[in-house]
Structure formats: C-alpha cells, structure tokens
Amino acid sequence: MSKGKFIVFEGIDGSGKTTQIQLLQARFRAASLPIYVTKEPTDGPIGAVIRNVLNKRIKTSEKAIAGLFLADRLDHIENPINGMLGQLGQEMHVISDRYYLSSYAYHSSHVPLDWVIAANAECAKLLRPDIIFFIDISAEESLERLKKGRAFLDLFENLERLKSVRANYMRAIERVEKEENIIRIDGSQSEATIAAEIWEQVQEIL
Ligand code: ADP
Ligand code: TYD
C-alpha cells in the first residue's frame, strides 16, 4: 500500500518545472514532510540510452524510442533499490519531473496517441499520480526563456516543435482527464504566484 503522495510536473521545455519543483521541495522541507525528488528520463542505465538517442548519438525508430521511455519508466516505478513504489511505501512523498503524460505529448507527434496510452497502461495501473501539475506557457514564451539560457537555437524549428508538443499535451489531457487528476497552471504568472497556487493544491491531498 502506498502511503506517500505522488506528485508529477508536466509541461513543454522551459515551462518552469525545475523551478517549481525546487520551490515545492523547499515547502515540504519547511513543513518537515519527507520528500523524494526524481525525474524522467532517469539517471539509470535506460535513461542513459535515452540521452544518447536525444543527443542523436543513437538512431532508432520512433516506436523504439517510446519503448525506451516506457522501459525507463517501469524501472523508475519498480526498481527494487530506489523505485518510486518503494519510496512511497516508506511514507516518502515523491515529486517527479515528467511521467507518462510526457510520453503522450512527445511521442504522439510520431506514433498514434492511443498506441502510446496503451503502451503505458501498465504504468498507470502500477502507479497513478495523486496529482499532475501541467504548467502551461505558450511556445513563444518558452522560446524566449530558452534563448536566455542557451548559446544557439534553431529558432524556427524549435518554435514549431514547441507549438506541436503543447498542442499534443492539450489533446492528451482532453483524452485522459476523466482518469487523471490534472491541474492546469498558468505558467506565465510570477514564480511566487505559481508556487503558492501549487502549494495550496498539494496541501489538499496531503
Ligand atoms: P523546465 O524545467 O520546465 O525546463 P525551468 O524551471 O528550468 O523550466 O525554467 C526555464 C527558464 O525559465 C529558467 O531560466 C527559469 O529561471 C525561467 N522561469 C521559470 N519560471 C518562470 C516564471 N514563472 N516566470 C519567468 N521565468 C521563469
Ligand atoms: P530533459 O533535458 O531532461 O528535459 P527537461 O529538462 O526539459 O525536462 O530531456 C527530456 C526530454 O525528453 C524532453 O524534451 C521531453 C522528452 N521526453 C519524451 O520524449 N518522452 C517521455 O516519455 C519523457 C518523460 C520525456
């Protein structure tokens, strides 16, 4: 039986997930609540293969890529040493930067959304998030933020890609909103406003 709560952050790149996870972790610490912060792709061996795919050192098919993320996720859930189910069972609350909604959004550009949802059905069965925060910002705003942090960006390609992933998130959320507890957060607000909104929601499920 899981005792801790499982909180997931989702959004396009640059939406503010890392920032808000750090702020939420600080709130947990200040309240003396045990918290384990993790992410996908993981730092495990399957995550390492995925990073080699993302930086184009390894080339494979889109279904195989979705399959690698699925394998990484199953390991993330069930790994006997540091898996999330184990952490939750020890009364730790868990925050993950991305989970299966990322797969729905990122892979459904290349393979059918239904296929991705079906492939991830076991993950939803094993561990469904208590709450998913979808931090929503426009592709344009995301690009502005990413430009500040990086030396080079192919602007057109990235704007188009961000727009398409955001649209895919919307479509995926509409598809699964009956089964999932997804809270949309307006990510264009200040960091402090977003953090306060998130903390209010989290307190309701603790
Ligand atoms: P992600 O983890 O989703 O990629 P980050 O938290 O790394 O996003 O944020 C991306 C960039 O946007 C960082 O430079 C961060 O400082 C900035 N940022 C985060 N939240 C906000 C916000 N609410 N308003 C303006 N800029 C933000
Ligand atoms: P990373 O640099 O860790 O992302 P970020 O800091 O933006 O969260 O790279 C993760 C990338 O992998 C990101 O672009 C989203 C993508 N991704 C998928 O394509 N499928 C998935 O199932 C997950 C979890 C992530």
Side-chain angles (χ1 to χ4, degrees):
M1 268 281 281
S2 299
K3 292 189 182 130
K5 297 294 179 190
F6 180 38
I7 301 162
V8 170
F9 281 77
E10 292 283 356
I12 60 175
D13 303 84
S15 56
K17 298 183 305 304
T18 307
T19 305
Q20 290 304 323
I21 288 171
Q22 280 170 0
L23 293 170
L24 183 57
Q25 182 177 25
R27 299 248 191 188
F28 271 86
R29 293 220 168 115
S32 300
L33 293 165
I35 187 74
Y36 176 72
V37 175
T38 180
K39 64 168 193 229
E40 293 187 3
T42 69
D43 289 329
I46 306 167
V49 176
I50 289 173
R51 271 187 293 279
N52 275 318
V53 172
L54 292 176
N55 64 29
K56 299 188 167 61
R57 273 193 206 117
I58 296 176
K59 184 128 188 80
T60 183
S61 79
E62 295 297 341
K63 280 187 186 159
I65 295 170
L68 283 170
F69 276 101
L70 171 62
D72 188 44
R73 183 162 301 127
L74 287 167
D75 178 58
H76 196 200
I77 296 169
E78 292 195 295
N79 188 291
I81 296 160
N82 60 358
M84 293 192 288
L85 281 180
Q87 304 285 343
L88 291 160
Q90 289 166 41
E91 300 187 28
M92 292 288 270
H93 300 295
V94 174
I95 301 175
S96 182
D97 186 341
R98 302 191 180 281
Y99 195 50
Y100 49 64
L101 197 62
S102 281
S103 279
Y104 301 173
Y106 283 83
H107 307 300
S108 63
S109 301
H110 312 283
V111 291
L113 174 59
D114 285 334
W115 186 92
V116 187
I117 293 176
N120 277 275
E122 182 64 13
C123 302
K125 200 168 133 195
L126 286 168
L127 179 58
R128 200 182 284 282
D130 291 289
I131 196 162
I132 302 172
F133 290 108
F134 171 60
I135 307 186
D136 190 23
I137 62 167
S138 68
E140 287 79 3
E141 189 159 352
S142 158
L143 200 60
E144 280 309 309
R145 290 186 191 176
L146 294 174
K147 271 200 293 196
K148 284 185 194 144
R150 287 180 206 173
F152 173 78
L153 271 178
D154 181 337
L155 298 190
F156 177 74
E157 195 181 64
N158 277 282
L159 186 62
E160 290 312 300
R161 197 180 67 87
L162 289 164
K163 277 187 180 166
S164 132
V165 174
R166 180 166 180 255
N168 288 344
Y169 260 119
M170 301 299 191
R171 191 163 57 110
I173 288 170
E174 237 174 70
R175 182 75 60 89
V176 301
E177 68 188 353
K178 287 199 186 74
E179 303 95 76
E180 305 287 348
N181 181 21
I182 303 174
I183 310 282
R184 182 189 167 277
I185 303 280
D186 175 358
S188 69
Q189 305 174 96
S190 74
E191 288 178 13
T193 304
I194 297 171
E197 204 174 315
I198 288 172
W199 182 234
E200 205 171 295
Q201 295 281 350
V202 167
Q203 280 174 298
E204 281 182 25
I205 62 158
L206 289 180

